[in-house]
Amino acid sequence: MNMALAFCMGTDIAGIVSNPIGQPVATRGVLVFLSFAISTQFFNGASILIVSPRLVFTFSRDGVPPFSSVRYKLHSRTRTPMRGAWACAGTALLLGLLALEGPTASIAGLYMSWFIPVTSRSLEGKEWVPGAFSLVRWGRPVAVIAVAWMSFAIVVFAFPSTPDSTVSNMNYTAVVLSGWIAMCLVCYHFPVYGGVHWSSRPRSNINGVSSARIVRGAGQKR
């Protein structure tokens, strides 16, 4: 979408910036296409809010984040991790308050959430057992290309919107991202209580039952 705008907007930058409604993109017929983009972002946020509480629930099962004993509980009626959903929504709301300081926004955090596991997997020295689907020998080249692109994108999204940035229009991506990574590292390497001292691997809540038997049993019930 951004590439299409860049190629089609023309050279009258002053006319574009001085749009009467203050939104150069949202003019005339473009509103129709922009509505699809807005709807897509809404459903994207909804899907993230469905997946992220389950991740919080899983990490809380392993005792990784703070207050794990509180988050590792399912709703009595829906049997869903509602406490994890509220935790994710509350954290996102606090981070979203930074938008009140200016119009800048970034998806660098999303790229970082992919960058860390892909890099860790590629640099890991231990033997790795592939799952049902694996790129085999193509895995490393794909990982290198992905990490190179995400590194470039994270740097681009961290740039300020104007050379002379102020408090109101500053891009806070570098501040928030660095603070979040620092907090995670402190929690993991904290003396005595940090995860580095006790965390070994994800815990299994399935005892004595193989995944093949579970799949066959589910198929028979259906």
Side-chain angles (χ1 to χ4, degrees):
M1 181 178 178
N2 289 331
M3 291 179 65
L5 289 174
F7 279 105
C8 301
M9 68 180 184
T11 57
D12 187 12
I13 306 298
I16 295 174
V17 174
S18 60
N19 185 275
I21 63 174
Q23 295 290 337
V25 178
T27 56
R28 295 190 292 274
V30 182
L31 285 172
V32 178
F33 298 97
L34 192 61
S35 63
F36 288 107
I38 295 174
S39 301
T40 301
Q41 292 200 7
F42 172 80
F43 290 114
N44 185 34
S47 64
I48 291 175
L49 195 56
I50 292 174
V51 175
S52 54
R54 285 153 177 78
L55 296 176
V56 171
F57 178 82
T58 303
F59 286 124
S60 298
R61 176 200 61 191
D62 300 337
V64 176
F67 308 106
S68 294
S69 59
V70 177
R71 297 177 181 180
Y72 184 54
K73 292 184 182 298
L74 296 176
H75 192 273
S76 58
R77 182 174 60 86
T78 63
R79 306 302 297 169
T80 55
M82 290 298 297
R83 295 187 180 184
W86 282 112
C88 293
T91 304
L93 178 62
L94 292 177
L95 294 175
L97 292 177
L98 292 174
L100 299 177
E101 291 294 333
T104 57
S106 174
I107 58 171
L110 182 61
Y111 278 119
M112 185 60 70
S113 67
W114 297 330
F115 177 88
I116 293 175
V118 172
T119 305
S120 300
R121 162 66 189 91
S122 301
L123 298 178
E124 185 181 12
K126 299 181 181 179
E127 183 180 358
W128 178 71
V129 179
F133 174 80
S134 175
L135 295 175
V136 196
R137 62 180 181 179
W138 293 102
R140 185 59 60 86
V142 171
V144 171
I145 295 173
V147 169
W149 163 252
M150 288 186 289
S151 302
F152 169 75
I154 291 172
V155 173
V156 170
F157 283 119
F159 272 99
S161 56
T162 59
D164 300 325
S165 299
T166 61
V167 176
S168 60
N169 62 7
M170 175 183 174
N171 188 346
Y172 287 91
T173 298
V175 179
V176 175
L177 200 58
S178 301
W180 185 263
I181 294 176
M183 185 179 66
C184 293
L185 291 174
V186 170
C187 289
Y188 184 72
H189 293 283
F190 198 81
V192 181
Y193 299 102
V196 68
H197 300 289
W198 52 264
S199 179
S200 58
R201 60 181 180 178
R203 302 175 187 174
S204 175
N205 51 8
I206 302 177
N207 298 320
V209 181
S210 66
S211 58
R213 289 177 58 189
I214 294 174
V215 172
R216 286 198 299 268
Q220 291 173 0
K221 289 181 181 180
R222 292 180 182 177

